[in-house]
Amino acid sequence: MLLRLDFSLDTPIYMQIRNQIILGIAGGSLKPGERLPTVRALADESGVNMMTVNKAYQLLKQEGYITADRRSGATVTDPESRGVLSAKAESELKLIISEAKIAGIPEEEFLQMCKSLYHDLEVRPC
Amino acid sequence: MLLRLDFSLDTPIYMQIRNQIILGIAGGSLKPGERLPTVRALADESGVNMMTVNKAYQLLKQEGYITADRRSGATVTDPESRGVLSAKAESELKLIISEAKIAGIPEEEFLQMCKSLYHDLEVRPC
DNA sequence: AACTTGTATTATAATATATAATACAAAGGA
DNA sequence: TCCTTTGTATTATATATTATAATACAAGTT
């Protein structure tokens, strides 16, 4: 699993790891039931501390994206299709929409942008 | 200006202030050219330090949402309608869409949610 | 028995966040 | 002119967050 970590960003490393795993799940490169790298392996290949990866896994586990225990390692959760966006994500979305509106992006254009992003989630050969 | 600050959140106070001002601008309760409260007044009425408000203003200024100097105070910028979303907002949007997709929210439903949020930005009597 | 797994613990360092007190430069009002 | 107000700067302090490091543990597999 190849992570692109940028230590110069204000986004903490463990959050960047968490985010990219979510992108991976949504894009299909990480499938439900699939085994994630061990915290040690991912830490080594990413050049970060084991506990930093663990912190990302803890967060993903708490949010329901993965399961992790000592016997089976970490695996992508089979989504139960809650069908609702988290309150946190919804308030973040509201803020982004505000920024878009102030930037002068009309509603239709924003929706089109969402459509494109939704489709571009799928993994493409690179 | 009434701010709702939650000190128990992981979002820093200055970021909460910045976010709510952006929501205010998008919603129309803060109009272009309108004067913002002074850093001291907003700090007093919100129960936070002057420099915390100043940090929010600095950020808003840097992002182009407001202008602020020693002579005219802080005022809402007349948007130049860049017409494009910031790179930061776009990557955040991509992440939220990923979360929505994993949660089993179909594309059409997500777009409808965006539509509603877009419209609900406008201030309503309360 | 040896190894791997996520997790826990303890320590340390660096950075971010928030407060506090004070001061400054530039503008406006009395 | 004097006083006030404005955002901003400076310095200090305290706390929280983030990241690393070195060990260790419990539960499973090989």
Side-chain angles (χ1 to χ4, degrees):
Chain A
M1 160 168 275
L2 203 121
L3 295 182
R4 299 188 174 277
L5 302 181
D6 188 338
F7 294 82
S8 72
L9 294 182
D10 56 343
T11 306
I13 305 298
Y14 80 92
M15 192 63 75
Q16 293 186 38
I17 297 175
R18 174 247 184 206
N19 292 346
Q20 290 185 35
I21 288 178
I22 289 180
L23 289 173
I25 297 175
S29 63
L30 289 173
K31 304 182 200 317
E34 183 176 338
R35 188 77 172 272
L36 285 170
T38 70
V39 288
R40 289 170 178 81
L42 190 50
D44 278 0
E45 85 175 43
S46 302
V48 299
N49 190 272
M50 186 185 64
M51 295 311 292
T52 304
V53 176
N54 181 256
K55 193 167 181 180
Y57 278 21
Q58 292 273 4
L59 185 53
L60 288 163
K61 183 181 176 181
Q62 180 206 324
E63 295 175 320
Y65 291 109
I66 68 173
T67 64
D69 54 65
R70 276 192 257 250
R71 48 192 176 287
S72 43
T75 59
V76 179
T77 305
D78 209 329
E80 306 170 27
S81 285
R82 285 162 294 164
V84 289
L85 206 54
S86 70
K88 179 172 153 291
E90 186 167 329
S91 76
E92 285 174 359
L93 178 56
K94 189 174 175 181
L95 187 63
I96 291 173
I97 291 177
S98 294
E99 296 181 30
K101 189 172 185 181
I102 297 173
I105 301 174
E107 180 181 320
E108 290 309 322
E109 191 177 327
F110 181 82
L111 295 178
Q112 191 58 47
M113 189 185 305
C114 287
K115 229 180 227 178
S116 299
L117 286 173
Y118 206 102
H119 295 146
D120 288 357
L121 287 182
E122 270 83 51
V123 274
R124 39 192 158 181
C126 57
Chain B
M1 161 167 275
L2 202 121
L3 294 182
R4 300 188 174 280
L5 303 180
D6 188 340
F7 293 82
S8 71
L9 294 181
D10 55 344
T11 306
I13 305 296
Y14 79 92
M15 191 61 76
Q16 292 186 39
I17 297 175
R18 173 247 185 206
N19 292 345
Q20 289 185 35
I21 289 177
I22 290 180
L23 289 173
I25 297 174
S29 65
L30 289 173
K31 305 184 200 316
E34 183 175 339
R35 187 79 172 273
L36 285 171
T38 71
V39 289
R40 289 170 178 81
L42 191 50
D44 278 359
E45 84 176 44
S46 303
V48 300
N49 191 272
M50 187 184 65
M51 295 311 291
T52 304
V53 176
N54 181 256
K55 192 167 182 180
Y57 279 20
Q58 292 274 3
L59 185 53
L60 288 163
K61 183 180 176 182
Q62 180 206 324
E63 294 174 321
Y65 290 110
I66 69 172
T67 64
D69 54 66
R70 277 192 257 250
R71 46 191 177 289
S72 44
T75 59
V76 178
T77 305
D78 210 330
E80 306 169 29
S81 285
R82 286 163 294 164
V84 288
L85 206 54
S86 70
K88 179 171 152 290
E90 186 167 328
S91 75
E92 285 174 0
L93 179 56
K94 189 173 175 183
L95 187 61
I96 291 174
I97 291 177
S98 293
E99 295 180 30
K101 188 172 185 182
I102 297 174
I105 301 174
E107 180 181 320
E108 290 310 322
E109 191 177 326
F110 181 81
L111 295 177
Q112 192 57 48
M113 189 185 307
C114 287
K115 228 180 226 179
S116 299
L117 287 173
Y118 205 101
H119 294 145
D120 289 357
L121 287 182
E122 271 83 48
V123 274
R124 40 192 158 180
C126 58

